[in-house]
């Protein structure tokens, strides 16, 4: 594992300085920029003894390879990678667990957007496979707008095995698939639940699909065959939220 990583973006760094300030090594801020959110991050960082440097835009651009950093970049220690044991602890601690699973989603922008929706919907953890999946890159953290620091991201070695373990813990595993017979609106989604979303185009892998308790789909009335996975995830999560509130 790398000894350090570059984090950037106002929301992402606001969340890190609030939740995990011990990870931050040094803060780099765009010279001449001054607003309340940026000032708050700087003040918090200094309170924890983190050095702050004011730089020209090109210096910041070079540190993050031209990504949109919003005038603030940090050198940080990598966060701890959560695994199957952490997931089991989360399931055991919740009366009505709500889990989001991404199977084969490789775009960090989509991962970050799904994390943001998961946080908003009250998801207790998001699960991804270690292989052939996006992970918490600085880009994913920035897109997540702080949700990467509040919604645990679990990396598992064998996704199908993890889903079976969830089932053994009393969690109902719902998969999304274009060939499903039932619409999401026709299925009871109010108990302990894991929602599995597949990659755009390919969908869930065969083994993942076979282990699901139930398959559902969204109605598609137009000419496109599928939604962006982060959009579809948001729609599905909020139908589950609606049913959980109603019950």
């Amino acid at each position: 594992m790398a000894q350090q990583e570059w984090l950037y973006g106002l929301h992402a760094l606001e969340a890190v300085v609030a939740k995990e300030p011990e990870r931050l090594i040094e803060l780099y801020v765009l010279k001449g920029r001054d607003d309340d959110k940026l000032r708050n991050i700087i003040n918090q960082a200094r309170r924890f003894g983190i050095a702050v440097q004011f730089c020209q835009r090109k210096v910041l651009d070079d540190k993050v390879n031209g990504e949109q950093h919003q005038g603030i970049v940090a050198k940080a220690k990598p966060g701890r990678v959560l695994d199957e044991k952490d997931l089991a602890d989360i399931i055991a601690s919740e009366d009505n667990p709500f889990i989001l699973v991404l199977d084969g989603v490789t775009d960090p922008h989509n991962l970050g957007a799904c994390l943001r929706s998961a946080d908003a919907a009250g998801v207790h953890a998001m699960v991804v496979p270690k292989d052939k999946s996006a992970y918490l890159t600085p880009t994913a953290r920035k897109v997540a707008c702080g949700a990467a620091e509040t919604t645990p991201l679990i990396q598992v070695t064998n996704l199908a095995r993890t889903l079976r373990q969830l089932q053994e813990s009393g969690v109902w595993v719902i998969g999304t698939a274009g060939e499903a017979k039932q619409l999401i609106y026709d299925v009871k989604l109010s108990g302990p639940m894991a929602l599995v979303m597949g990659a755009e185009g390919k969908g869930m892998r065969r083994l993942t699909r076979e282990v699901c308790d139930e398959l559902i789909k969204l109605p598609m009335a137009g000419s496109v065959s599928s939604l962006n996975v982060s959009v579809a995830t948001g729609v599905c999560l909020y139908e589950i939220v609606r049913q959980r509130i109603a019950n």
Side-chain angles (χ1 to χ4, degrees):
M1 179 183 288
Q3 296 302 303
Q4 65 183 45
E5 61 184 4
W6 294 100
L7 306 180
Y8 52 87
L10 287 166
H11 293 292
L13 282 168
E14 189 176 41
V16 172
V17 80
K19 302 277 186 181
E20 301 177 291
E22 68 282 357
R23 289 183 54 204
L24 296 178
I25 300 167
E26 196 162 11
L27 209 58
Y28 300 86
V29 179
L30 180 63
K31 190 177 290 185
R33 173 157 184 176
D34 185 30
D35 57 61
D36 290 344
K37 193 179 286 287
L38 191 62
R39 201 178 307 121
N40 179 57
I41 295 170
I42 292 168
N43 291 340
Q44 288 277 71
R46 283 175 168 158
R47 194 170 297 138
F48 290 107
I50 299 157
V52 180
Q53 284 192 36
F54 294 89
C55 312
Q56 298 297 329
R57 181 174 296 277
K58 186 178 186 312
V59 175
L60 301 183
D61 291 346
D62 289 346
K63 290 184 185 301
V64 299
N65 297 317
E67 294 283 351
Q68 293 295 320
H69 48 68
Q70 298 176 304
I72 187 164
V73 174
K75 184 193 294 183
K77 300 170 188 171
R80 186 172 77 85
V81 178
L82 305 183
D83 58 19
E84 290 88 344
K85 183 182 181 305
D86 297 291
L87 179 61
D89 291 343
I90 290 168
I91 296 298
S93 69
E94 297 294 339
D95 294 331
N96 193 14
F98 185 11
I99 308 298
L100 173 62
V101 181
L102 301 184
D103 184 21
V105 174
T106 56
D107 183 348
H109 292 87
N110 280 333
L111 180 80
C114 288
L115 264 172
R116 187 174 181 178
S117 294
D119 174 79
V123 165
H124 298 118
M126 192 163 96
V127 177
V128 297
K130 283 182 180 173
D131 297 327
K132 296 179 181 175
S133 171
Y135 60 98
L136 268 183
T137 63
T139 297
R141 287 184 183 277
K142 179 178 181 291
V143 174
C145 287
E149 283 64 48
T150 56
T151 301
L153 181 71
I154 313 288
Q155 289 186 313
V156 300
T157 305
N158 185 314
L159 187 57
R161 181 175 65 203
T162 296
L163 293 178
R164 284 191 286 269
Q165 290 168 344
L166 287 175
Q167 290 166 328
E168 290 165 8
S169 301
V171 175
W172 192 251
V173 177
I174 295 282
T176 52
E179 72 272 17
K181 302 288 189 256
Q182 301 179 99
L183 296 179
I184 186 171
Y185 308 114
D186 300 327
V187 178
K188 181 177 180 291
L189 301 169
S190 56
M193 181 76 51
L195 171 68
V196 187
M197 304 296 299
E200 287 175 56
K202 294 180 180 178
M204 293 181 293
R205 290 172 294 176
R206 180 181 58 82
L207 285 176
T208 307
R209 185 184 290 106
E210 288 175 356
V211 86
C212 290
D213 292 303
E214 204 160 8
L215 295 178
I216 55 96
K217 64 181 178 181
L218 289 170
M220 299 293 294
S223 59
V224 298
S225 60
S226 65
L227 294 173
N228 171 277
V229 65
S230 64
V231 174
T233 296
V235 174
C236 292
L237 287 177
Y238 270 89
E239 173 58 18
I240 296 172
V241 169
R242 186 189 69 79
Q243 292 197 27
R244 286 164 80 91
I245 291 171
N247 287 273

